């Protein structure tokens, strides 16, 4: 055991130790080499990563311009459209400030622009945007608005910037040409067809004439075509691109602006709604890829956006109109007393500071609130014993509605149970409230307003109104009236001057005091008839107090002297809110019908049936020195050709439908779809802008036809393309068509140049030269007498 132990603990030999050290040294070297290798690999990887990073940075730097290319705006310029636009500019702006005379309706529109410069209120049945645009340029040209547009032919003074006043219509008239070109391209027409349509509009003499003066039609047509162009772009991209909503917004803006120039723009809105709704019904409602909720949401979103934009623009135009025109003017009497009292000067100088509440003893003038402006009036004259139809009258004192301010318009409010008329306490007067019974005593004759069971003089279905005269016969006085305040929810139960609108109900007959709108014969001095009517609630039974003061004296003679000198010293203004004025102006525009609009005896008026063949034009201006004149007359080749193409299109359309019913298809699917699109846009547009005039009872002129004419001219060009498609496969018909087209274009240019003298009016003409231009017997030109 001991031996074995000794053997185990016996030290190793030198050889073994050396060998072991060698092995350990080798392992250490290997480990060192491995570490070096790993470090080398790490350094190499770092180097590779650094090189990769540098490469990526270089690549980013190289690609950086490409990334920013996405934010660049690329502009495409159509040379043909530019040439057409420049041609339109040169023709519309050539000698724009000539003649320096008032031309046709510049008499009205120019006067409105002058009133804008002086901030004086005016009333026009058309919206104000067109006048506002012209007034804005006139303001930039430092026009002072002092020129009075008194009559057609008045010479402008040197301080009138006539070029500036005519700038906006001329610019819009020029822009019509390239917009029409783009519109035809959007309809799917080829470039030559779009250029032909623009060329025809360029060579249309009526459009040239209408664009060179302070008139509204060129502005209206420009916004109409722009709106229609954006609608067609929206239709093409609908539910396919986010740009579609942008085009819809732009269409809403343009179409609303067209409406704000003239209400004829509403017809363009109807056309656009037709296009959008039909496209949605045909192409999108049946798309099963879209969920019901998605379709519903898209429709609601588009309706809300369109409605909001249109309402905002329309309200803004009128708000600007009302804010600028804050001074009294010549048209104040059209508006209600409250509206007039909100303006500086005029009625406001009389009514501000007057007592607010009507009471026993109030001296008032009663104004017919809606419709025709007139005041309840009486005078010493009586109704005739018998009328022309042998009917008898009451022979009482006449009561009328008088359209002028007069001392006989004053009435005194009286409670039946009180005999005095003077107001004893002006600080706490005996105010008249809704439902009170009163008497109205005529201020100058001291006779009470009366009615009885006698037929009215001109409206026998109604009851006569008079001031009672006691003839000591069996006809007692019936002079009690009940006050009904119809807007008491806004102004309270106490009768207020200016603000309260009242209906006066005759107590005995329960009929309301009414302005009948009929004129009395000579015995009534052609004043307007006042009656009572069984229908209580209607516009013609509404009255309001305009001028108001308290009776101070019981003495009749002193009271008469007070009434004669009734104007009061202003102390505090009467205010009417912007919204109230806006709604009143809308009401007056929609329901007013000035007499000038109902006169059909104008020597240059025409009927819708006369327009397609241009039976007659309109004389705009005649030089005082020679027969140089401006006459609204169209290019007869364009008018007759476009009318013919309209009839041919309708005939072809009916023909194709009949052939398709027989299972015969003359056109490919794409050609038929485009043919239908042309019809639904241009034919429907023409009908919408033409047919309504058959139902309008007012004086009409040739220029009312121009919006419809534009659609018809565009249709003419589109139909020419359709004819070209028909004959393209045959050599001889194609040659004949192209030759005919060239001859037709040359004839359009010839007639345009021939009658351009009537558009500019700067060329002196002899009587013989004027007669040579009278190609139709119905064309009435003006010639100076030798």
């Amino acid at each position: 055991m001991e031996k074995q132990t000794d053997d185990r603990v016996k030290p190793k030999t030198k050889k073994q130790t050396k060998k072991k050290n060698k092995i350990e040294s080798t392992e250490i070297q290997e480990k060192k080499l491995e570490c070096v290798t790993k470090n080398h690999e790490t350094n190499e990887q770092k180097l590779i990563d650094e090189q990769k990073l540098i490469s990526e940075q270089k690549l980013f730097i190289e690609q950086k311009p490409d990334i920013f290319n996405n934010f660049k705006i690329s502009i495409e310029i159509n040379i043909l459209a530019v040439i057409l636009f420049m041609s339109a500019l040169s023709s519309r702006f050539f000698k724009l400030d000539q003649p320096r005379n008032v031309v046709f309706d510049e008499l009205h529109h120019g006067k409105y622009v002058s009133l804008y410069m002086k901030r004086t209120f005016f009333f026009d049945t058309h919206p104000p945007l067109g006048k506002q645009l012209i007034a804005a340029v006139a303001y930039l040209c430092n026009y002072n608005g002092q020129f009075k547009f008194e009559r057609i032919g008045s010479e402008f003074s040197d301080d009138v910037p006539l070029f500036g006043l005519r700038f906006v219509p001329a610019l819009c008239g020029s822009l019509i040409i390239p917009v029409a070109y783009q519109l035809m391209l959007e309809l799917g027409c080829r470039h030559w067809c779009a250029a032909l349509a623009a060329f025809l509009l360029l060579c249309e003499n009526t459009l040239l004439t209408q664009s060179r003066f302070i008139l509204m039609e060129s502005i209206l047509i420009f916004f109409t075509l722009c709106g229609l162009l954006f609608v067609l772009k929206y239709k093409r991209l609908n539910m396919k691109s986010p740009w579609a909503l942008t085009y819809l917004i732009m269409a809403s803006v343009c179409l609303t602006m067209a409406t704000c120039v003239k209400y004829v723009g509403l017809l363009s809105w109807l056309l656009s709604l037709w296009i959008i709704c039909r496209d949605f019904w045909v192409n999108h409602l049946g798309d099963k890829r879209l969920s019901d909720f998605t379709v519903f949401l898209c429709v609601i979103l588009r309706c809300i956006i369109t409605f909001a934009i249109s309402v905002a623009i329309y309200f803004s135009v009128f708000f600007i109109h009302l804010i600028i025109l804050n001074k009294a003017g010549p048209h104040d009497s059209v508006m209600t007393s409250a509206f007039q009292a909100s303006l500086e000067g005029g009625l406001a100088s009389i009514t501000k500071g007057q007592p607010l509440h009507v009471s026993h003893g109030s001296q008032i003038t009663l104004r017919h609130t809606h419709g025709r402006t007139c005041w309840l009036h009486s005078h010493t004259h009586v109704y005739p014993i018998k009328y022309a139809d042998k009917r008898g009258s009451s022979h009482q004192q006449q009561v009328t509605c008088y359209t002028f301010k007069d001392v006989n318009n004053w009435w005194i409010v009286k409670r039946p149970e009180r005999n005095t008329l003077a107001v004893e306490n002006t600080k706490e007067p005996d105010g008249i409230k809704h439902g009170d019974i009163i008497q109205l005593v005529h201020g100058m004759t001291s006779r009470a307003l009366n009615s009885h069971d006698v037929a009215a003089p001109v409206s026998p279905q109604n009851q006569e109104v008079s001031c009672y005269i006691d003839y000591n016969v069996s006809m007692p006085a019936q002079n009690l009236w009940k006050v009904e305040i119809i807007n008491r929810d806004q102004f309270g139960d106490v009768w207020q001057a200016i603000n309260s609108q009242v209906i006066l109900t005759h107590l005995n007959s329960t009929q309301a005091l009414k302005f009948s709108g009929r004129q009395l014969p000579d015995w009534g001095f052609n004043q307007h008839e006042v009656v009572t009517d069984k229908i209580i609630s209607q516009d013609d039974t509404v009255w309001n107090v305009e001028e108001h003061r308290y009776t101070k004296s019981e003495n009749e003679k002193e009271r008469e002297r007070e009434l004669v000198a009734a104007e009061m010293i202003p102390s505090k203004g009467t205010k009417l809110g912007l919204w109230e004025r806006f709604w009143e102006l809308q009401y007056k525009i929609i329901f007013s019908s000035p007499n000038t609009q109902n006169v059909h005896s104008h020597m240059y008026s025409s009927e819708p049936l006369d327009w397609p063949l241009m039976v007659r034009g309109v004389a705009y201006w005649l030089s005082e020195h020679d027969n140089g004149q401006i006459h609204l007359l169209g290019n007869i080749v364009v008018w007759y050709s476009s009318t013919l193409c309209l009839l041919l299109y309708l005939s072809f359309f009916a023909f194709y439908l009949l052939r398709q019913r027989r299972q015969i298809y003359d056109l490919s699917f794409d050609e038929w779809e485009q043919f239908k699109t042309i019809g639904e846009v241009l034919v429907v547009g023409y009908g919408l802008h033409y047919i309504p005039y058959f139902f309008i009872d007012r004086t009409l002129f040739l220029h009312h036809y121009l919006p419809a004419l534009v659609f018809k001219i565009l249709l003419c060009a589109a139909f020419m393309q359709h004819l070209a498609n028909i004959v393209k496969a045959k050599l001889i018909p194609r040659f004949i068509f192209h030759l005919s087209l060239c001859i037709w274009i040359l004839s359009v240019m010839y007639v345009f140049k021939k009658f351009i003298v009537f558009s500019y009016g700067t060329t002196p003409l002899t009587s013989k030269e004027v007669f040579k231009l009278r190609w139709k017997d119905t064309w009435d030109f003006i010639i100076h007498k030798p």
Side-chain angles (χ1 to χ4, degrees):
M1 292 294 292
E2 291 179 357
K3 187 177 181 179
Q4 290 176 353
T5 307
D6 292 340
D7 291 340
R8 286 195 300 268
V9 297
K10 185 172 66 173
K12 296 179 179 179
T13 63
K14 291 182 178 180
K15 187 176 180 180
Q16 289 174 335
T17 304
K18 187 175 180 181
K19 184 178 180 180
K20 181 180 179 182
N21 292 338
K22 186 176 180 180
I23 292 171
E24 290 177 353
S25 175
T26 304
E27 290 177 352
I28 291 171
Q29 288 178 358
E30 288 178 353
K31 288 181 179 180
K32 288 182 179 179
L33 181 62
E34 184 179 355
C35 290
V36 171
T37 305
K38 286 183 178 179
N39 290 335
H40 181 69
E41 290 177 353
T42 302
N43 292 334
E44 285 184 349
Q45 184 66 37
K46 287 182 178 179
L47 182 62
I48 291 171
D49 291 341
E50 289 177 358
Q51 290 177 348
K52 185 177 180 180
L53 180 62
I54 292 171
S55 300
E56 289 177 352
Q57 290 176 348
K58 288 182 179 180
L59 182 63
F60 175 77
I61 293 172
E62 291 174 357
Q63 291 180 347
K64 189 174 181 181
D66 294 333
I67 294 173
F68 283 96
N69 277 341
N70 296 330
F71 298 95
K72 289 183 178 180
I73 299 175
S74 59
I75 300 176
E76 295 182 3
I77 298 177
N78 190 311
I79 300 300
L80 189 55
V82 172
I83 293 173
L84 289 167
F85 178 53
M86 297 305 295
S87 301
L89 280 176
S90 61
S91 63
R92 270 60 178 173
F93 280 88
F94 177 70
K95 293 184 177 180
L96 187 61
D97 57 351
Q98 299 294 327
R100 289 194 64 86
N101 301 91
V102 177
V103 175
F104 195 57
D105 273 352
E106 284 189 330
L107 178 71
H108 303 295
H109 302 306
K111 188 179 296 183
Y112 296 150
V113 172
S114 294
L115 292 174
Y116 264 122
M117 297 298 102
K118 295 182 289 187
R119 306 193 66 173
T120 301
F121 177 80
F122 63 86
F123 177 79
D124 185 19
T125 54
H126 297 294
L129 179 60
K131 278 85 72 177
Q132 287 177 352
L133 295 175
I134 297 174
V137 176
Y139 176 79
L140 295 176
C141 296
N142 297 318
Y143 176 52
N144 56 21
Q146 296 303 316
F147 180 78
K148 296 180 180 179
F149 291 78
E150 295 178 343
R151 60 180 179 83
I152 296 175
S154 298
E155 186 174 355
F156 287 102
S157 56
D158 295 335
D159 61 339
V160 176
L162 190 54
F163 184 91
L165 290 175
R166 293 173 176 172
F167 176 83
V168 172
L171 178 62
C172 291
S174 303
L175 289 170
I176 287 172
I177 309 304
V179 172
Y181 176 82
Q182 294 296 330
L183 177 61
M184 295 299 288
L185 293 179
E186 200 64 37
L187 282 171
C189 298
R190 291 196 285 271
H191 283 276
W192 72 265
C193 175
L196 176 61
F199 170 77
L200 295 177
L201 294 176
L202 178 66
C203 294
E204 173 46 45
N205 299 73
T206 52
L207 295 179
L208 172 62
T209 304
Q210 209 71 12
S211 301
R212 289 180 44 81
F213 305 104
I214 312 173
L215 303 172
M216 298 294 111
E217 275 68 29
S218 62
I219 307 175
L220 168 67
I221 294 172
F222 167 68
F223 284 128
T224 297
L225 292 183
C226 283
L228 189 57
L229 173 62
F230 291 129
V231 165
L232 293 176
K233 287 181 177 292
Y234 164 78
K235 174 187 173 184
R236 175 167 52 86
L237 299 177
N238 191 11
M239 296 187 179
K240 299 176 184 177
S241 168
W243 276 100
L245 202 59
T246 303
Y247 284 131
L248 181 61
I249 292 172
M250 296 169 71
S252 301
V253 171
C254 291
L255 292 171
T256 306
M257 294 180 77
T259 305
C260 290
V261 175
K262 277 191 170 184
Y263 283 121
V264 176
L266 287 172
L267 302 176
S268 305
W269 255 120
L270 292 177
L271 173 62
S272 300
L273 289 175
W274 155 257
I275 295 172
I276 293 172
C277 292
R278 186 181 182 280
D279 175 69
F280 179 79
W281 179 269
V282 173
N283 298 322
H284 301 292
L285 198 59
D287 191 347
K288 294 183 179 180
R289 294 172 298 178
L290 301 173
S291 65
D292 294 344
F293 179 76
T294 301
V295 173
F296 177 77
L297 191 63
C298 289
V299 172
I300 295 299
L301 178 64
R302 282 156 172 75
C303 290
I304 291 175
I305 291 176
T306 304
F307 180 77
I309 290 173
S310 300
V311 170
I313 293 175
Y314 186 82
F315 278 35
S316 299
V317 168
F318 274 96
F319 283 174
I320 292 171
H321 178 73
L322 292 171
I323 290 171
I324 293 176
L325 305 181
N326 63 341
K327 297 180 181 180
H331 298 166
D332 292 359
S333 60
V334 176
M335 311 307 293
T336 63
S337 303
F339 193 103
Q340 295 179 61
S342 67
L343 302 173
E344 295 180 11
L347 177 65
S349 67
I350 300 174
T351 58
K352 60 183 178 181
Q354 68 183 10
L356 178 62
H357 293 111
V358 179
S359 66
H360 170 81
S362 288
Q363 298 173 1
I364 63 174
T365 60
L366 274 173
R367 184 184 189 273
H368 179 232
T369 302
H370 303 300
R372 188 173 183 83
T373 303
C374 61
W375 293 265
L376 190 66
H377 176 94
S378 186
H379 39 240
T380 56
H381 300 273
V382 297
Y383 291 112
I385 298 176
K386 286 189 178 293
Y387 300 122
D389 58 1
K390 307 302 180 183
R391 289 186 297 111
S393 77
S394 65
H395 201 49
Q396 297 282 324
Q397 182 173 302
Q398 296 176 15
V399 172
T400 65
C401 205
Y402 194 38
T403 54
F404 298 96
K405 295 292 186 72
D406 189 89
V407 69
N408 281 313
N409 297 347
W410 284 98
W411 300 80
I412 302 174
V413 179
K414 178 182 179 297
R415 290 194 182 275
E417 66 275 9
R418 297 178 62 177
N419 294 323
T420 61
L421 290 177
V423 177
E424 298 175 356
N425 187 352
T426 57
K427 293 184 179 180
E428 295 181 2
D430 182 12
I432 306 297
K433 297 181 179 179
H434 172 75
D436 284 356
I437 307 300
I438 65 167
Q439 292 175 323
L440 285 176
V441 179
H442 187 238
M444 298 304 293
T445 62
S446 298
R447 289 174 177 150
L449 187 70
N450 187 77
S451 185
H452 33 232
D453 188 16
V454 176
V458 185
S459 305
Q461 72 275 13
N462 297 120
Q463 193 167 280
E464 178 191 271
V465 175
S466 63
C467 279
Y468 182 73
I469 301 176
D470 188 2
Y471 287 121
N472 198 19
V473 295
S474 58
M475 185 178 284
Q478 298 180 15
N479 53 19
L480 299 180
W481 301 83
K482 182 180 179 182
V483 177
E484 298 183 36
I485 303 173
I486 62 175
N487 60 345
R488 60 185 180 280
D489 56 335
Q490 184 177 1
F491 294 104
D493 288 337
V494 181
W495 191 1
Q496 294 184 14
I498 301 293
N499 298 324
S500 297
Q501 296 179 2
V502 301
I503 294 176
L504 297 173
T505 306
H506 188 236
L507 199 63
N508 296 84
S509 63
T510 65
Q511 298 187 27
L513 186 71
K514 175 189 174 182
F515 164 77
S516 73
R518 310 281 298 273
Q519 271 191 312
L520 296 173
D522 292 340
W523 54 259
F525 308 99
N526 300 115
Q527 297 176 16
H528 291 275
E529 181 189 42
V530 173
V531 299
T532 60
D533 198 318
K534 294 178 182 178
I535 302 175
I536 304 297
S537 298
Q538 53 178 306
D539 285 347
D540 286 329
T541 60
V542 179
W543 305 80
N544 69 274
V545 172
E546 185 170 272
E547 298 174 57
H548 178 214
R549 58 184 289 130
Y550 289 146
T551 303
K552 299 177 181 178
S553 174
E554 290 289 346
N555 185 279
E556 185 175 344
K557 294 298 182 183
E558 290 185 13
R559 196 164 62 236
E560 289 181 8
R561 285 194 292 270
E562 289 177 9
L563 293 174
V564 171
E567 187 168 331
M568 303 180 65
I569 299 173
S571 61
K572 187 179 180 181
T574 304
K575 293 185 178 180
L576 187 69
L578 192 62
W579 278 103
E580 288 85 355
R581 287 191 287 159
F582 169 79
W583 289 116
E584 180 179 331
L585 186 57
Q586 296 305 299
Y587 179 89
K588 294 292 184 180
I589 289 176
I590 294 172
F591 293 104
S592 67
S593 49
N595 291 341
T596 55
Q597 304 250 345
N598 295 325
V599 178
H600 295 265
S601 59
H602 196 286
M603 64 180 299
Y604 286 102
S605 63
S606 54
E607 297 297 328
L609 286 175
D610 300 334
W611 296 342
L613 298 180
M614 201 171 57
V615 173
R616 57 188 332 202
V618 185
Y620 273 15
W621 172 79
L622 176 66
S623 172
E624 295 180 355
H625 310 291
D626 49 60
N627 289 310
Q629 58 188 281
I630 295 172
H631 201 97
L632 186 68
L633 203 65
N635 189 319
I636 194 170
V637 176
V638 175
W639 283 58
Y640 278 55
S641 302
S642 57
T643 301
L644 177 61
C645 286
L646 173 64
L647 298 175
L648 288 175
Y649 176 90
L650 296 175
S651 301
F652 273 55
F653 189 81
F655 174 76
Y656 290 143
L657 286 178
L658 291 173
R659 296 269 289 177
Q660 289 179 14
R661 188 64 180 170
R662 300 286 296 170
Q663 303 298 316
I664 302 172
Y665 299 94
D666 301 285
L667 302 177
S668 65
F669 177 79
D670 292 337
E671 289 177 330
W672 173 243
E673 286 299 314
Q674 188 193 16
F675 193 75
K676 288 196 303 182
T677 301
I678 293 296
E680 78 173 10
V681 175
L682 300 182
V683 176
V684 174
Y686 174 78
L688 280 174
H689 288 79
Y690 175 54
I691 296 174
Y693 285 104
F694 286 93
F695 307 98
I696 293 178
D697 184 25
R698 56 170 292 183
T699 307
L700 298 174
F701 297 94
L702 186 64
H703 61 78
H704 290 113
Y705 185 61
L706 294 185
L709 174 68
V710 170
F711 283 95
K712 192 168 66 168
I713 291 175
L714 298 181
L715 176 66
C716 178
F719 188 75
M720 290 296 175
Q721 176 179 291
H722 184 69
L723 291 179
N725 292 336
I726 293 175
V727 302
K728 67 181 179 181
K730 299 178 180 179
L731 180 61
I732 296 178
R734 188 174 64 209
F735 173 77
I736 295 174
F737 173 78
H738 289 160
L739 179 61
S740 302
L741 184 63
C742 292
I743 295 174
W744 177 64
I745 291 174
L746 291 175
S747 65
V748 169
M749 295 175 63
Y750 172 77
V751 175
F752 174 70
K753 185 176 181 300
K754 188 77 172 176
F755 285 88
I756 202 171
V757 293
F758 285 156
S759 297
Y760 291 109
T762 56
T763 304
L765 298 173
T766 64
S767 301
K768 187 176 181 180
E769 289 172 332
V770 173
F771 275 117
K772 283 184 177 180
L773 293 173
R774 193 168 181 254
W775 289 6
K776 297 185 70 172
D777 295 336
T778 54
W779 293 355
D780 297 323
F781 300 143
I782 302 176
I783 299 175
H784 282 296
K785 293 182 179 180

